[in-house]
């Protein structure tokens, strides 16, 4: 059922809070002006600023826990770009409060920043002609036949199940539309999702000039185009690149349609055959009525049948050439296929040889890896031995240093001992001289005492000459 009454948009004007709840005035606008204001109860809430990338089924899944308490959903385009709002009429005020507490400022998804914004609708300012399915309008008391849901074909009664009216103003059961996969309207295929640039351009190209989408398959020109009536090849005319004529010479397809004038050209007869054609009834050359001709120039049914037969003959005459053309194509493809098969066989042989070479190389690589492992183990052993010899060398160096220190200390002790021995020899020499002098004195005294005549005499002593230094050295050597 369609309730389309023109494009309907709305915006929310927030007012002062009442307790812990936000209230707003819903302003409806349309191209049909009917200014009025409606006050509503506390069972209608507005979820606004819903981004278009969240489809209606996704929103219904989002609010599914409270779906049984909603009697009617109404989707309206928001004045905010790429957004819409949903009016929800609850069955009782308590369910509306629970929905506000649970969903206000709640994220639609943990991966996206958009939050669910909800306000109570205090009143509605209407500048539009509204359908009767609008949530806050009272339904007629007596309805002979309830509308049926376009999806399940069951009667739509908001007292039994929740209803949903989308942007195109078609109404369904809420659970029916939630199962509709692509998010578009099941009736008119309207989709709330914004169109991409490619989607916007395609319809314009489909309804615009045919030259906008047709182009020569060779030079990509879009001027003076001809389409082959046999195979559909599109090429440019003789005054551009003559690719349509080249196609005729390659394929022998003699009929081509000029896209601009919708005339058919016969390459064999080198003339148009669409506008001027020979009538089979009277043999006269007649001109077919153009697309702009009026009903004043209509031909008889007999001539029209003859013309249609003539066209059928013209196209049928090309079936043989078309068959020959495609048979040649088939032969060419078969030849190419055989050549490709031989190439594949040769390549398969090369691949087999390469695989064998790879296997040999892999075997050599494994042997080399084993050799490398053996060399690595030998290197590890050599490193261990080298470390042991280094430790021994360090120990030997330490011992050598200790021996040198000991030798130096022994040399110092030896020099000290030699010096001490020299001092002792000198002291012994002095003592020897003293002993000799003392013995001489004693001996002289005994002689004097034994011989009184020598009493009062003088004793003379003779000093010895000091020996030379060389003699002393020799004596010292002799003593050593």
């Amino acid at each position: 059922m369609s309730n389309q009454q023109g494009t309907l948009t709305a915006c929310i004007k927030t007012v002062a809070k009442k307790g812990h709840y936000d209230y707003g005035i819903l302003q409806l606008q349309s191209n049909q002006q009917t200014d009025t204001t409606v006050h509503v109860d506390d069972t209608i809430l507005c979820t606004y600023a819903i981004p278009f990338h969240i489809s209606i089924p996704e929103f219904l899944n989002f609010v599914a826990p409270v779906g049984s308490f909603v009697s009617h959903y109404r989707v309206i385009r928001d004045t905010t770009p790429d957004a819409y709002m949903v009016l929800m009429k609850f069955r009782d005020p308590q369910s509306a409060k629970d929905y506000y507490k649970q969903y206000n400022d709640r994220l639609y998804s943990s991966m996206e920043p958009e939050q669910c914004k909800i306000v109570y609708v205090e009143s509605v300012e209407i500048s539009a002609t509204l359908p009767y399915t609008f949530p806050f309008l009272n339904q007629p008391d007596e309805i002979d036949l309830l509308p049926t849901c376009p999806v399940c074909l069951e009667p739509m009664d908001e007292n039994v199940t929740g209803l949903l009216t989308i942007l195109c103003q078609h109404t369904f059961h809420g659970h029916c539309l939630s199962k509709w996969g692509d998010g578009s309207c099941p009736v008119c295929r309207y989709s709330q999702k914004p169109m991409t640039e490619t989607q916007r351009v395609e319809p314009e190209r489909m309804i615009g000039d045919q030259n906008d989408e047709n182009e020569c398959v060779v030079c990509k020109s879009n001027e003076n185009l001809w389409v082959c009536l046999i195979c559909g090849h599109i090429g440019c005319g003789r005054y551009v690149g003559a690719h349509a004529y080249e196609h005729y010479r390659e394929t022998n397809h003699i009929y081509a349609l000029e896209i601009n004038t919708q005339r058919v050209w016969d390459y064999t007869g080198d003339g148009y055959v669409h506008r001027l054609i020979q009538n089979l009834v009277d043999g006269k050359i007649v001109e077919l009525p153009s697309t702009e001709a009026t009903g004043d120039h209509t031909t008889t049914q007999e001539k029209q049948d003859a013309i249609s037969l003539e066209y059928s003959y013209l196209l049928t005459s090309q079936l043989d050439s078309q068959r020959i053309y495609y048979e040649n194509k088939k032969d060419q493809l078969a030849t190419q296929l055989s050549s490709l098969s031989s190439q594949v066989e040769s390549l398969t042989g090369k691949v087999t040889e390469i695989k064998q070479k790879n296997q040999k190389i892999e075997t050599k690589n494994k042997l080399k890896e084993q050799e490398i492992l053996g060399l690595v183990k030998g290197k590890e052993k050599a490193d261990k031995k080298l470390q042991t010899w280094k430790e021994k060398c360090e120990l030997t160096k330490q011992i050598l240093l200790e021996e040198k220190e000991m030798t130096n200390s022994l040399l110092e002790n030896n020099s000290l001992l030699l010096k001490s021995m020299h001092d002792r020899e000198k002291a012994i020499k002095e003592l020897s001289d003293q002993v000799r002098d003392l013995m001489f004195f004693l001996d002289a005294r005994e002689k004097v005492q034994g011989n009184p005549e020598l009493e009062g005499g003088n004793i003379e002593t003779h000093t010895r000459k000091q020996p030379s230094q060389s003699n002393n050295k020799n004596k010292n050597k002799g003593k050593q």
Side-chain angles (χ1 to χ4, degrees):
M1 181 187 62
S2 177
N3 298 317
Q4 183 69 31
Q5 300 287 341
T7 303
L8 185 65
T9 60
C11 65
I12 284 290
K13 180 180 179 181
T14 58
V15 295
K17 279 190 174 184
K18 295 182 180 180
H20 299 287
Y21 305 103
D22 294 325
Y23 278 76
I25 298 174
L26 181 65
Q27 297 177 340
L28 297 176
Q29 300 174 356
S30 179
N31 53 4
Q32 300 181 10
Q33 299 294 329
T34 305
D35 297 331
T36 183
T37 301
V38 178
H39 294 278
V40 297
D41 53 17
D42 290 340
T43 59
I44 297 178
L45 275 72
C46 177
T47 305
Y48 62 98
I50 305 173
F52 266 155
H53 66 80
I54 300 176
S55 64
I56 294 174
E58 290 174 348
F59 178 79
L60 293 178
N61 292 331
F62 177 69
V63 298
V66 298
S68 60
F69 303 101
V70 182
S71 62
H72 203 132
Y73 299 88
R74 175 64 189 231
V75 182
I76 307 175
R77 185 181 297 275
D78 200 332
T79 54
T80 305
D82 297 332
Y84 65 97
M85 62 177 63
V86 178
L87 291 179
M88 302 170 63
K89 181 180 180 181
F90 287 85
R91 302 184 188 278
D92 55 85
Q94 185 60 39
S95 300
K97 289 182 181 179
D98 294 339
Y99 171 72
Y100 184 92
K101 292 178 181 179
Q102 294 178 12
Y103 285 89
N104 190 30
D105 293 334
R106 181 176 175 180
L107 292 175
Y108 289 105
S109 172
S110 59
M111 304 297 293
E112 297 175 354
E114 290 85 358
Q115 294 180 341
C116 180
K117 298 295 184 181
I118 305 172
V119 295
Y120 274 89
V121 178
E122 184 180 58
S123 61
V124 180
E125 295 179 356
I126 303 172
S127 298
T129 301
L130 301 179
Y132 79 92
T133 55
F134 209 75
F136 48 77
L137 292 182
N138 295 325
Q139 296 287 358
D141 296 334
E142 296 182 358
I143 300 178
D144 296 335
L145 183 63
L146 290 173
T148 58
C149 176
V151 178
C152 65
L153 302 180
E154 295 292 334
M156 293 188 297
D157 187 359
E158 67 178 18
N159 296 324
V160 178
T161 180
L163 303 182
L164 172 63
T165 302
I166 59 177
L167 290 173
C168 60
Q169 300 188 19
H170 287 110
T171 304
F172 312 90
H173 290 132
H175 60 274
C176 291
L177 192 64
S178 64
K179 297 177 183 178
W180 196 256
D182 58 358
S184 63
C185 176
V187 176
C188 64
R189 301 298 179 183
Y190 173 82
S191 178
Q192 71 172 24
K193 294 183 179 179
M195 298 174 62
T196 61
E197 291 297 328
T198 304
Q199 293 172 337
R200 291 191 181 98
V201 171
E202 285 299 326
E204 296 176 358
R205 294 182 63 184
M206 291 175 64
I207 63 177
D209 189 1
Q210 291 182 350
N211 287 337
D212 293 340
E213 61 178 352
N214 295 324
E215 59 183 14
C216 178
V217 296
V218 180
C219 63
K220 306 302 180 182
S221 174
N222 57 1
E223 297 179 359
N224 193 15
L225 297 179
W226 296 77
V227 57
C228 178
L229 293 180
I230 307 302
C231 63
H233 176 273
I234 299 177
C236 56
R238 300 182 184 183
Y239 302 104
V240 181
H243 294 119
Y245 182 72
E246 290 179 2
H247 172 73
Y248 153 69
R249 297 188 63 181
E250 293 175 358
T251 62
N252 201 25
H253 294 168
I254 64 175
Y255 293 118
L257 173 70
E258 187 179 10
I259 296 178
N260 290 335
T261 62
Q262 301 295 309
R263 291 186 177 187
V264 178
W265 181 266
D266 181 8
Y267 285 104
T268 303
D270 199 20
Y272 287 106
V273 297
H274 185 82
R275 295 295 180 182
L276 296 176
I277 191 167
Q278 186 178 13
N279 190 359
L280 292 180
V281 178
D282 53 11
K284 294 181 179 180
I285 301 298
V286 296
E287 182 177 2
L288 296 182
S290 64
T291 56
E292 299 177 355
T294 61
D296 296 337
H297 301 282
T298 59
T299 61
T300 63
Q301 183 65 33
E302 188 177 1
K303 289 185 178 182
Q304 290 179 356
D305 294 339
I307 291 170
S308 63
L309 290 174
E310 182 68 18
Y311 275 117
S312 299
Y313 170 75
L314 290 175
L315 294 178
T316 304
S317 63
Q318 291 299 304
L319 292 178
D320 292 335
S321 62
Q322 184 179 8
R323 177 179 56 80
I324 295 171
Y325 170 74
Y326 282 111
E327 286 179 354
N328 293 332
K329 285 287 186 182
K330 182 179 178 182
D331 294 337
Q332 293 177 2
L333 292 175
T335 305
Q336 292 179 0
L337 181 61
S338 61
S339 63
L340 291 175
S341 299
S342 60
Q343 291 180 5
V344 168
E345 291 177 357
S346 62
L347 291 174
T348 303
K350 291 181 180 179
V351 168
T352 304
E353 294 178 358
I354 292 172
K355 286 183 178 179
Q356 293 176 356
K357 291 181 180 179
N358 287 336
Q359 290 178 355
K360 293 180 181 179
I361 293 172
E362 287 178 356
T363 304
K364 291 181 180 180
N365 288 336
K366 289 181 180 179
L367 295 175
K368 294 295 182 181
E369 288 177 356
Q370 293 177 358
E371 292 179 0
I372 290 171
L373 290 176
L375 293 174
V376 169
K377 291 181 179 178
K379 182 177 178 298
E380 291 177 353
K381 291 181 181 179
D383 291 338
K384 290 181 181 179
K385 289 182 181 180
L386 178 62
Q387 187 65 28
T388 303
W389 284 110
K390 283 182 178 180
E391 292 176 355
K392 289 182 180 180
C393 182
E394 292 294 332
L395 182 61
T396 304
K397 285 182 180 180
Q398 292 180 359
I399 294 173
L400 179 61
L401 290 175
E402 292 177 357
E403 291 292 338
K404 284 183 178 180
E405 291 178 356
M406 187 178 293
T407 302
N408 292 330
S409 62
L410 289 175
L411 289 174
E412 290 178 358
N413 293 332
N414 189 20
S415 61
L416 292 174
L417 289 174
L418 290 174
K419 185 178 179 181
S420 174
M421 186 176 66
H422 181 71
D423 293 339
R424 288 179 180 178
E425 288 179 353
K426 186 176 180 180
I428 290 170
K429 183 178 179 183
E430 291 178 355
L431 291 174
S432 297
D433 292 337
Q434 292 179 3
V435 168
R436 188 185 67 245
D437 293 338
L438 181 59
M439 292 297 293
F440 177 77
F441 175 73
L442 293 174
D443 190 21
R445 190 178 63 179
E446 288 178 357
K447 286 181 179 183
V448 171
Q449 289 178 356
N451 192 1
E453 292 178 357
L454 296 176
E455 202 173 310
N458 294 326
I459 298 173
E460 293 181 0
T461 61
H462 297 281
T463 305
R464 287 185 180 182
K465 293 182 180 180
Q466 294 290 334
S468 63
Q469 188 174 1
S470 62
N471 292 333
N472 291 333
K473 288 182 179 180
N474 291 329
K475 289 181 181 179
N476 291 333
K477 289 182 180 179
K479 290 180 181 180
Q480 293 176 356

